[in-house]
Every structure is written in structure tokens, then in C-alpha cells.
Amino acid sequence: MPVTNKKNIKKSNTIKLKFDTGWSYAPAPESKSSASFNKQYDLFINGEWVNPLSHKYFDTINPANEEKLAEVAEANAADVDRAVKAARNAYEKVWKKMPAKERAKYIFRIARMIQERAREFAIIESMDGGKPIRESRDFDIPTAANHFFYYAGWADKLEYAFPNRNSNSLGVAGQIIPWNFPMLMAAWKIAPALATGNTVVLKPAETTPLTAMKLAEVIRESGLPEGVVNIVSGGGATGAAIVNHPDINKIAFTGSTEVGKLIQRAVAGTNKKVTLELGGKAANIIFEDAPIDQAVEGVINGVYFNQGHVCCAGSRLYVQESVAKELIRKLRDRIETLIVGDPLDKNTDIGAINSRQQLDTIHKYLKIGKDEGYQMYESSCSLPAKGYWCRPTIFTDVAQSARIAQEEIFGPVLAILTFRTDDEVIQKANNTPYGLSAGVWTDKGSKIFNMTKRMRAGVIWANTFNKFDPTSPFGGYKESGYGREGGLHGLLPYVNLSN
Ligand code: NAP
Ligand code: MG
């Protein structure tokens, strides 16, 4: 990229980077015309759209312009009860008795229908949640479809997944998902549950319910027997009603560690099975022998992907001292070229922050980082007047004990720390309450194996970052939760095994 006229404007410990590239991309907005959604959505229970007994609806907005997109029903405990009854009925009367290869056909059909409507799903995902269309189009929606394809394949092969064991479905699964990958999280949860013969009550996040509503339409059109999947929108109280419902056999939750702890307390003493996918503070480690330019791209992808709204974001960067100067310079140059703006523009690298509340959280951490005295660099890009936005930001010379190095920010903010030896960096990398993911960049294969063996993280990428595949399990250590989703491992939380 032709970069000229580099100028840094220094103000206290904040440096605004400034490049004049001399040119910019022409806008390339995705047309909204191929995406349609209703002004109002009810609850999807027993294969039908039903009015909420709560009589309440809430708005979902587009975080890029703060405009209302639709209003969505807010399920109360009585609505959740209705959904659980529908799921139980479908489980006992239809789904658990259906031959596995027949179940597989429905799951395949859902996968194909998502593919057919991929563009529509991608546009709605970007409008409702703020993520760049490039990501929703090329990552979220295709990967969601792939999860349905993958688990459809397992449905009639469980005897090979669990050799010499009998696997039995559990019953009704209550599933609660967050706002950062709304459609993908729904697929992660629903696909393995159906493949193993369970029925579902799913709650999408309050700020991103629309693709779940579209998924309900697909499920209805697929002819999936009524009540096998029920989708109830609502807030935290709706989630709590699912967790506390006595006729639910399994809870699958993805979200914050704070709510994960509440859930764990709520199910203690019951026989509900639980999987928790919670927060993270991934260490991304760059050794001096790493291919530096490739590592810079990996770091950018690791922390700025999806505005940093990624539980496994590489938000803690450890750089070996001898290459720190060069790497930081390259990273600063690179964040200046990132395009922040309209999520529906195909050039956009960083879209809108998902909600006002999340933006406030990120601002709080930027202030903490500055107040603690760390050097902050932010891109000089201009931000749209309306909507929720945050410039890509870097903190350097960060101490291991700094709050911005220990706590999850969930925004486009990178904390950079340095190290000298392998032992030192292992100790530092493992020194957080979390353990979801990590990255290692080095030219040496033996070093990769040595590091990955000693790091306490569920997923470790080597010379790459944020790669996902339905065949590969995902999940955490320590306060990042327990249980695995994806791959063969993702079947296990949905079955009871016997001899
Ligand atoms: P959150 O507040 O924990 O919300 C997650 C889901 O739980 C939402 O649907 C939420 O509803 C619901 N909820 C809120 N309070 C509840 C309660 N008391 N009982 C039951 N459900 C409740 O998390 P978030 O802020 O939406 O998401 C960001 C967090 O998720 C981050 O910490 C991130 O690391 C984590 N995350 C982890 C993974 C992973 O795989 N490990 C993946 C993605 C995100 P509302 O939408 O109405 O609040
Ligand atoms: Mg929204």
C-alpha cells in the first residue's frame, strides 16, 4: 500500500497515528435489497409464531446508525415454560424415536437452506450486530452452515463416535448464546443437539436476535417436526428462566464468566448437564525467529477481527524483546490502514461496536490503560457521527499486572508486553484466570510443541490465529469454562453413555 507523509501527533501519553495515503477506496456498499425481515417478531414455539404471554416486545437496533430495525418478543417464565413443554412433547413423541438417518436429513436440509440464503443472513447479521459484511459473508454464515452439514453427518454414526458404548440423548437442551457471533453460535448449539436426538429451546442475545428469527423461518420451512427447535427471544431474565426450568436436561451457555458462574450456582444440586463457554484473554506470543510480517497480519486478525468482540481474541501480545521495536512499528503502521466504518461496505475492516453498553465498557478500559500510564496509540481514522465506534488501539510497555492485560475488554484494543525467555513467557501467558485460546509465532516446530504443551489454553494456534472449523473442538480451561463444542468432542455433552 502506498503510504506517505507519516506524521505522529503526540498528546500526553496518547499518540494519534496519522498517514496520508493519498488515496482511498470508493464506497462499495452491499445492497440491502436481498435481505428482508419483519417489523415485529413473536416467539417461535412448537413450529409456530406465537404472541408472548408477557405481552412485551423490545427493540433491536442497528449499532452503525442507532436506527430501530425491528421489535422482538420478550419471553417471560410462562413463555419459556410453553417452549419447554413443546420441546418435551416433540422429544418424547417424535424426535427421540425417529431413526437417526431421518434426523440427519432434516439437519442437512437446514444446512442447505442456510447456504441458499447466505447473502440474506449475512446482510441481516451485519445490520443487527455491526460486524463487517466481509466477515458475516465469508466467515459467520458459511461456518454456521458447515456446522449443520458436519453434525448431520454424525447423526447416524454415533456408534463410531463412541465405539462399544451406547449413547442416549438427554432430552430438552436449553441453549443461551451471546451477541458476537449470533448465527454461528446458534449453529454451534443447535446442530449437535439435533444430531444426538435432543430437542432445543434457544435464546439469542438481546441486541442480535434477527438472524435467529430468520433461522426459525428456515427451520419451519425445512419441515422439521414441530417443537424440535423453539426460539425464545428476551433478556437475562429469559435466560435465567431457561436455566431454572425443572424440565430441562442440559444447559449450553456461551457468554460472560460472570453469568456462567450464576448458571453454575443455579444448576448445582440438579441433574442438569452443563457446558460453559466463557470469557478469555488470549496470549499471542511472538518469538524473534517468527516471520514478522506474517505475524503482524496474524496479530491484526487476532485482535481486530469482529471489532475484538471475540472471546478468543489475541488481546495480550507477548513479543520477544529483540524484535519488539520493529514489530510495534509495523503494527502501528498497519492499524492506521484499517478501514473503520459502514459494516455493509465490503471494504470495511472494523465495523460498529455492538451496543452502547459495550462501547462504554471499552472506553472504561481505555481510560484505565491511560490512567495506569501505558503508552496508547490509536488510529487517526475519522468515525461516523452516529452509531457506536472505536478506533483500533494499541497499548505498549504494558505490565503483567495491568488491568488491560488481565481483564477482558472485548473491543479492538491490544496490550503489548515483552519477554526474554521461554520460561518467562509461559509463566506470564498462563497467569490469568482465563484459558480459552493462545497463539505462538516461531519458525521452529519443536518450540511450538514445547510451548503448546505447557500453555493452559483450550485452543492454541501456531503461526496463524482465529481459525475455526466444525471438525475441531473449542473450549476453555479455568474461568473460560468447561466442555467442548465442535468436532467429535462436541457430541459428548449431548449424550449419556452406557455399556
Ligand atoms: P452475557 O451477558 O453473559 O450474555 C450471554 C447470554 O446470556 C445472552 O443471551 C444474555 O442475555 C444471557 N444472560 C444474561 N444474564 C443471564 C442470566 N442471569 N441467566 C441466563 N442467561 C443470561 O455475555 P455477553 O456480554 O452477551 O457476551 C460477551 C461475553 O461472552 C464475553 O465475556 C465473551 O468472552 C463471552 N463469549 C465466550 C465465547 C466462548 O466460546 N467461550 C464465545 C462468545 C462470547 P442478554 O443478551 O439479554 O444479555
Ligand atoms: Mg441489534
Side-chain angles (χ1 to χ4, degrees), residues 220-496:
R220 195 168 185 214
E221 284 172 38
S222 74
L224 187 77
E226 294 158 1
V228 171
V229 172
N230 305 274
I231 300 185
V232 288
S233 40
T238 310
I242 293 176
V243 170
N244 292 318
H245 196 290
D247 200 29
I248 281 194
N249 303 92
K250 156 154 183 105
I251 295 293
F253 173 78
T254 298
S256 59
T257 296
E258 191 191 343
V259 175
K261 286 181 181 175
L262 288 177
I263 291 177
Q264 204 165 18
R265 266 184 230 123
V267 300
T270 73
N271 59 5
K272 287 175 188 153
K273 267 197 165 194
V274 184
T275 42
L276 301 173
E277 303 274 7
L278 309 174
K281 190 75 188 174
N284 201 2
I285 302 171
I286 300 184
F287 286 96
E288 60 190 359
D289 63 349
I292 294 293
D293 291 337
Q294 196 182 322
V296 167
E297 285 313 302
V299 171
I300 295 287
N301 176 38
V303 73
Y304 301 118
F305 172 56
N306 199 29
Q307 295 71 248
H309 298 337
V310 186
C311 47
C312 50
S315 53
R316 251 184 329 144
L317 181 65
Y318 290 95
V319 191
Q320 201 154 22
E321 236 173 53
S322 49
V323 289
K325 221 170 144 188
E326 179 192 358
L327 192 106
I328 290 167
R329 179 179 55 75
K330 288 189 167 181
L331 272 177
R332 283 169 48 181
D333 288 355
R334 184 66 178 93
I335 65 164
E336 186 64 9
T337 66
L338 294 174
I339 299 172
V340 182
D342 181 6
L344 285 185
D345 192 310
K346 291 164 204 127
N347 296 320
T348 295
D349 296 306
I350 298 185
I353 300 301
N354 185 266
S355 64
R356 157 72 57 197
Q357 194 189 3
Q358 187 57 29
L359 184 61
D360 291 346
T361 303
I362 298 168
H363 283 159
K364 179 187 90 181
Y365 278 106
L366 294 181
K367 183 166 182 318
I368 290 171
K370 280 193 281 186
D371 289 351
E372 288 187 355
Y374 304 112
Q375 182 73 62
M376 181 176 117
Y377 302 93
E378 62 174 10
S379 151
S380 69
C381 64
S382 56
L383 299 179
K386 285 197 94 177
Y388 314 132
W389 308 95
C390 181
R391 296 186 177 89
T393 303
I394 291 174
F395 282 99
T396 58
D397 300 321
V398 178
Q400 177 70 21
S401 58
R403 286 186 65 189
I404 54 169
Q406 289 288 327
E407 296 174 21
E408 188 177 41
I409 302 175
F410 228 57
V413 182
L414 177 66
I416 305 184
L417 302 88
T418 56
F419 70 95
R420 288 183 186 171
T421 67
D422 296 13
D423 287 344
E424 178 192 352
V425 75
I426 284 281
Q427 215 172 58
K428 286 179 167 174
N430 285 339
N431 185 11
T432 74
Y434 296 116
L436 191 56
S437 65
V440 183
W441 297 80
T442 167
D443 209 21
K444 249 189 158 172
S446 57
K447 194 171 251 173
I448 291 172
F449 287 117
N450 180 30
M451 297 297 292
T452 51
K453 219 168 55 191
R454 297 168 68 196
M455 273 201 282
R456 305 283 294 161
V459 182
I460 306 178
W461 288 286
N463 293 328
T464 186
F465 210 90
N466 273 346
K467 293 276 183 254
F468 300 90
D469 190 283
T471 63
S472 133
F474 184 87
Y477 281 67
K478 300 190 280 186
E479 291 196 13
S480 292
Y482 50 78
R484 294 291 178 262
E485 288 184 315
L488 171 60
H489 301 69
L491 293 166
L492 193 56
Y494 287 97
V495 292
N496 276 327

